[in-house]
Amino acid sequence: MSGRVAGKKALITGAAGGLGQAMARMLVREGAQVALSDIDGDRAAALAASINADTPNSAFAYAHDVTSEADWVRVVDQAVTDMGGLSVLVNNAGIGGNLVFAEQDTLENWRKVQAVNLESVMLGCKHALPHLKAAPAASIVNISSIAGLAAAPGMGAYNATKAAVWLYTKTVALECAKAGGTVRANSVHPVFINTPILDPFIAMAGGSTEAAHERLARGIPLKRIGDPDDVAYCVLYLASDESRFVTGSEFKIDGGMTAQ
């Protein structure tokens, strides 16, 4: 299995922890270089240092506000300089927003979730694509959610952004195919994964992580929530040339939840 993404150069947003950290470590283990961007630049730098301690010159880190177009220009240009190119973009940065019903939602909350979860994906694709097109084979992986395919009460802003990422990814995939087919784009749709995004559910369970995970797992046929590596393995496949004929598709990492 070694070297599945050997020579690939990947930019991962929201990479300091959770899913992003799992993706970064897995891609490096399989031969890629990674550029780690995060709003918390110190944590991203610490992760890069940890990765480089085992695999020198494999990881670079940048503080990055994904809602800022100027930051996107700076980070993409620096990543291309540091790695000598760009062949994979993983738009992973995201927030859950507030669990609130439509009548109580605020425009401030709505716009914040839109900016982080959706506008950042557009900005990433816009500024990475010229560099991705220069690579012999390139891949865009946009992290959506099962919540982008199936709605839930109290999650209007989050549902809306993740659904938009799903369809936007298909548009980008078709545009890239029409332009010559060297860049592919796909979306990944996890269900509940053991990351800090579950903190609101833990709070609702009185602060008990075990109780929250047990409650969330009841609706999943495999009867557990996911691990970050469950998502990272899918990203690894999509970043690799193993998926060279796969574009405009959505990948559900949901333990069978949407099969019911």
Side-chain angles (χ1 to χ4, degrees):
M1 299 284 285
S2 179
R4 293 174 64 188
V5 285
K8 298 292 186 183
K9 304 172 189 300
L11 170 58
I12 306 169
T13 66
L19 294 181
Q21 179 176 173
M23 295 168 194
R25 291 190 181 279
M26 188 171 290
L27 290 177
V28 169
R29 285 199 301 269
E30 293 292 342
Q33 285 184 302
V34 293
L36 313 176
S37 88
D38 200 279
I39 191 70
D40 190 336
D42 290 340
R43 287 182 66 210
L47 175 60
S50 174
I51 291 172
N52 287 331
D54 295 325
T55 313
N57 200 41
S58 291
F60 306 87
Y62 323 103
H64 184 191
D65 176 358
V66 294
T67 69
S68 164
E69 185 160 17
D71 260 21
W72 268 108
V73 172
R74 174 183 58 81
V75 167
V76 169
D77 286 350
Q78 191 62 55
V80 169
T81 298
D82 288 340
M83 296 189 296
L86 185 66
S87 51
V88 178
L89 170 66
V90 183
N91 278 310
N92 169 68
I95 58 174
N98 297 322
L99 292 172
V100 59
F101 288 98
E103 291 175 84
Q104 286 79 44
D105 206 353
T106 65
L107 193 56
E108 179 184 17
N109 177 65
W110 178 269
R111 287 178 172 169
K112 180 179 180 180
V113 178
Q114 296 286 322
V116 177
N117 290 1
L118 177 57
E119 291 176 11
S120 70
V121 174
M122 180 278 288
L123 290 171
C125 292
K126 173 183 177 180
H127 292 290
L129 270 168
H131 303 285
L132 294 170
K133 288 179 177 178
S139 176
I140 295 171
V141 184
N142 292 331
I143 306 302
S144 178
S145 170
I146 288 301
L149 303 175
M155 297 179 63
Y158 188 75
N159 287 146
T161 57
K162 292 303 186 178
V165 168
W166 169 50
L167 201 57
Y168 178 74
T169 302
K170 292 179 180 295
T171 299
V172 172
L174 293 175
E175 290 176 356
C176 290
K178 187 174 182 179
T182 60
V183 182
R184 299 174 294 103
N186 296 281
S187 58
V188 175
H189 300 255
V191 72
F192 307 116
I193 306 295
N194 188 15
T195 70
I197 204 166
L198 297 186
D199 287 351
F201 298 98
I202 295 172
M204 291 168 60
S208 170
T209 299
E210 182 179 357
H213 288 189
E214 181 180 348
R215 182 178 300 173
L216 293 172
R218 289 173 189 163
I220 300 174
L222 290 183
K223 298 304 179 188
R224 69 170 178 88
I225 65 169
D227 294 321
D229 274 356
D230 294 329
V231 181
Y233 276 116
C234 183
V235 172
L236 172 63
Y237 167 69
L238 292 173
S240 77
D241 292 339
E242 298 165 13
S243 56
R244 64 187 182 273
F245 198 53
V246 177
T247 196
S249 294
E250 59 281 334
F251 289 78
K252 303 171 185 175
I253 315 297
D254 70 349
M257 188 174 185
T258 55
Q260 301 179 97

